[in-house]
Amino acid sequence: MAEFTMELNDDQKQVQDWIHGFAADVIRPAAAEWDEREETPWPVIQEAAKVGIYSLDFYAQQFFDPTGLGIPMAMEELFWGDAGIALSIVGTGLAAIGVVANGTEEQIGTWIPQMYGTPDDVKVAAFCSSEPDAGSDVGSMRTRAVYDQAKDEWVLNGTKTWATNGGIANVHIVVAVVDPELGTKGHASFIVPPNTPGLSQGQKFKKHGIRASHTAEVVLEDVRVPGSCLLGGKEKLDERLARAHERARSGGAGERVKNAAMATFEASRPAVGAMAVGTARAAYEVALDYAKTRTQFGRPIIDNQGVAFQLADMRTQIDAARLLVWRASWMAVAGRPFTSAEGSMSKLFASEVAKKVTAQAVQILGGNGFTREYPVERMHRDSAIYTIFEGTSEIQRLVIARTISDMPIR
């Protein structure tokens, strides 16, 4: 088990410099254009694939970094470049992780390559979980999957929303209810192969921020997928459902299952916190450079305490957010229990810092900060998503409060 450290090793620094260079040379110059177009930046994704950043191998290497800092470091640098384009690059990873975490070796070997395609023929994948009436309340999920034993097929019906790459993906991973009596424990995940009849794109959302990332509804109407597309296989599912029914009858043990699930979510949230840190850092750097070069009343505006103190607070909050993210990331890889919901802490704090720091950056730039001639306007719009997706700030506070109090706070 790696000791906790705040110093990247030489290999990590090389990777960091490599990603930063790609973000600076490829992502940033394209950011304003694709934000305005509100379209998936296929040329940028293709460039990322050519250099090896858009690939499962890249994310696997960072995920298995023994210090736990590989993923947060990579996320921070990519989102420093631009949040919308970065989300287009990493969005497929959500679906890929779902397959790697729950699928069989055969499913992983079959479907992961189809999610990414090749540098000459780039593909994307979508993870479809949220629904119009089931965002934070996953227990209200309505999408159903029914097993047709005669044909060894699953039939999926329902509507998913807020799906990154939804409808344009080559492969969709869909979470559906297979046993309504079990609530959230009666859910399962399914692979929907390319060109499967019955799957269509619903509304494409025109968003406040991260506009280079495609977000849409996914409609499933009698979508039939082979039995082999149930992640993990039916035997494993039947065993899990049987255990859940037994726990429900015996009582008490189900709470331990819930806590184990929460621990899984806790381990994934620092990555989102790292994205927020990247956006905040980008806005801070623009504001700092501007404050040192913009003159008013015969001197740079950073000479004024009102501006200098804002920048001091911005830098302090960014560093504090990064440290929370790194601590939680290290705890996850080291197997340390999140006794105070440290994963949610990191996501909550970093998300709120991103909103605050980007707003301060706009203020420091004044009228210029309110125009699209400067990137802080876009960064401020992008930052709003961090307090919403992957669990709102309110949900993070609820998780933290329940954890530290050991009470069912509602």
Side-chain angles (χ1 to χ4, degrees), residues 45 58 67 118 139 160 232:
I45 298 175
F58 169 74
T67 69
T118 68
K160 295 296 182 179

Side-chain angles (χ1 to χ4, degrees), residues 87-336:
L87 192 57
S88 288
I89 292 172
V90 306
T92 292
L94 297 174
I97 289 170
V99 174
V100 171
N102 302 298
T104 64
E105 290 186 7
E106 182 179 358
Q107 288 171 331
I108 294 170
T110 299
W111 295 107
I112 296 296
Q114 296 188 50
M115 291 182 171
Y116 286 93
T118 68
D120 294 324
D121 185 21
V122 168
K123 305 293 185 183
V124 295
F127 183 76
C128 308
S129 179
S130 294
E131 297 184 1
D133 296 319
S136 299
D137 182 13
V138 294
S140 297
M141 188 177 293
R142 296 180 180 178
T143 298
R144 295 288 188 266
V146 178
Y147 185 57
D148 183 343
Q149 188 171 2
K151 295 184 178 180
D152 185 27
E153 292 179 338
W154 288 89
V155 184
L156 280 64
N157 281 283
T159 299
K160 295 296 182 179
T161 194
W162 310 123
T164 298
N165 298 329
I168 65 170
N170 196 48
V171 178
H172 291 76
I173 304 300
V174 177
V175 182
V177 178
V178 295
D179 192 332
E181 293 182 6
L182 293 174
T184 57
K185 300 178 187 67
H187 295 177
S189 297
F190 298 85
I191 302 162
V192 181
N195 305 314
T196 298
L199 184 147
S200 62
Q201 178 183 305
Q203 176 186 5
K204 178 187 175 182
F205 296 103
K206 297 182 74 66
K207 304 187 298 295
H208 175 66
I210 55 168
R211 302 197 305 190
S213 174
H214 176 97
T215 310
E217 291 181 332
V218 174
V219 180
L220 304 130
E221 297 178 311
D222 291 329
V223 172
R224 287 182 169 268
V225 299
S228 60
C229 286
L230 166 65
L231 282 177
K234 193 167 188 307
E235 182 178 349
K236 183 178 179 181
L237 172 65
D238 289 342
E239 292 175 356
R240 177 167 63 82
L241 296 179
R243 289 195 301 270
H245 277 292
E246 180 60 31
R247 291 189 185 99
R249 286 191 293 269
S250 62
E255 186 66 23
R256 291 194 293 272
V257 174
K258 182 183 74 174
N259 289 340
M262 188 179 74
T264 300
F265 285 122
E266 282 293 289
S268 67
R269 283 171 175 153
V272 182
M275 298 174 186
V277 171
T279 300
R281 189 183 110 213
Y284 158 77
E285 289 176 0
V286 173
L288 178 62
D289 289 342
Y290 185 88
K292 291 192 291 187
T293 57
R294 171 70 167 173
T295 58
Q296 291 286 282
F297 304 104
R299 61 182 184 180
I301 62 173
I302 199 171
D303 280 356
N304 300 306
Q305 285 187 355
V307 174
F309 284 7
Q310 281 194 75
L311 289 162
D313 286 343
M314 291 159 74
R315 176 60 184 267
T316 301
Q317 290 164 356
I318 290 167
D319 282 10
R322 183 185 297 109
L323 290 175
L324 283 172
V325 167
W326 282 21
R327 180 185 69 168
S329 300
W330 173 78
M331 290 177 69
V333 77
R336 297 292 182 91

